[in-house]
Amino acid sequence: MRIGMGYDVHKLVENRKLILGGVEIPYELGLLGHSDADVLLHAICDSLLGAAALGDIGKHFPDTDEKYKGISSLLLLEYVGNLIYEKGYTIENIDATIIAQKPKMAPHIPTMIKNISKALNISENQVNIKATTEEGLGFTGKNEGISAQSICLLG
């Protein structure tokens, strides 16, 4: 059994889509990044890579490589899942938290779970996603960005 944790943060800006867990969420701001800037999936990728001692998302998908510009993070997650399986591990579970003042995440979480379980070829009951605010504190509380944390267990 191996445990991994991941964290990611991106700045909220105008003229970008807000994509979390592979879901486009209607909102006036989106996350700035080289790919689609899906902080949730990036944190999950890092937790999986960390548990398998395979580095981090930046090692596998550098933001200096144009082939990853605008790419769907669901594709990155699929790739990471395949790496995990090639190393002989199985994903036991993933637990992740989205930290955002706005918008409300609850209506989108079931679809996020479906997307993640499909990308990793695991059952939905192996994925848990939560969301919280920071009560107006810090950069997420001031709606300047969104962050996500993830922990996973590999068998």
Side-chain angles (χ1 to χ4, degrees):
M1 300 292 225
R2 298 178 68 115
I3 297 170
M5 76 73 82
Y7 173 81
D8 196 33
V9 60
H10 283 275
K11 182 179 181 177
L12 281 165
V13 296
E14 293 180 351
N15 301 315
R16 287 277 297 194
K17 293 179 181 180
L18 179 58
I19 300 172
L20 293 167
V23 177
E24 187 176 333
I25 298 171
Y27 192 55
E28 64 264 17
L29 301 173
L31 294 170
L32 182 62
H34 186 67
S35 66
D36 63 5
D38 188 328
V39 292
L40 176 60
L41 297 187
H42 294 182
I44 292 171
C45 284
D46 269 349
S47 68
L48 293 166
L49 291 167
L54 293 172
D56 65 16
I57 195 169
K59 173 184 174 183
H60 294 272
F61 315 108
D63 63 6
T64 55
D65 192 331
E66 284 300 306
K67 72 180 173 185
Y68 302 119
K69 186 171 179 66
I71 194 169
S72 167
S73 294
L74 283 169
L75 295 174
L76 305 182
L77 184 62
E78 285 178 22
Y79 177 87
V80 168
N82 288 332
L83 282 178
I84 298 303
Y85 301 132
E86 286 171 12
K87 291 292 182 182
Y89 297 110
T90 57
I91 299 169
E92 298 296 328
N93 78 301
I94 295 167
D95 186 24
T97 304
I98 302 164
I99 303 145
Q101 196 64 35
K102 293 188 252 183
K104 292 291 183 194
M105 299 295 157
H108 308 287
I109 289 175
T111 306
M112 292 177 192
I113 290 170
K114 284 183 194 332
N115 290 344
I116 293 162
S117 66
K118 182 179 177 187
L120 294 172
N121 198 28
I122 59 177
S123 70
E124 291 181 25
N125 70 5
Q126 291 174 277
V127 180
N128 188 60
I129 307 295
K130 307 173 296 296
T132 190
T133 70
E134 290 193 304
E135 303 296 327
L137 300 173
F139 72 90
T140 57
K142 294 176 184 161
N143 211 37
E144 296 171 0
I146 294 177
S147 65
Q149 299 177 357
S150 174
I151 190 164
C152 72
L153 179 65
L154 301 183

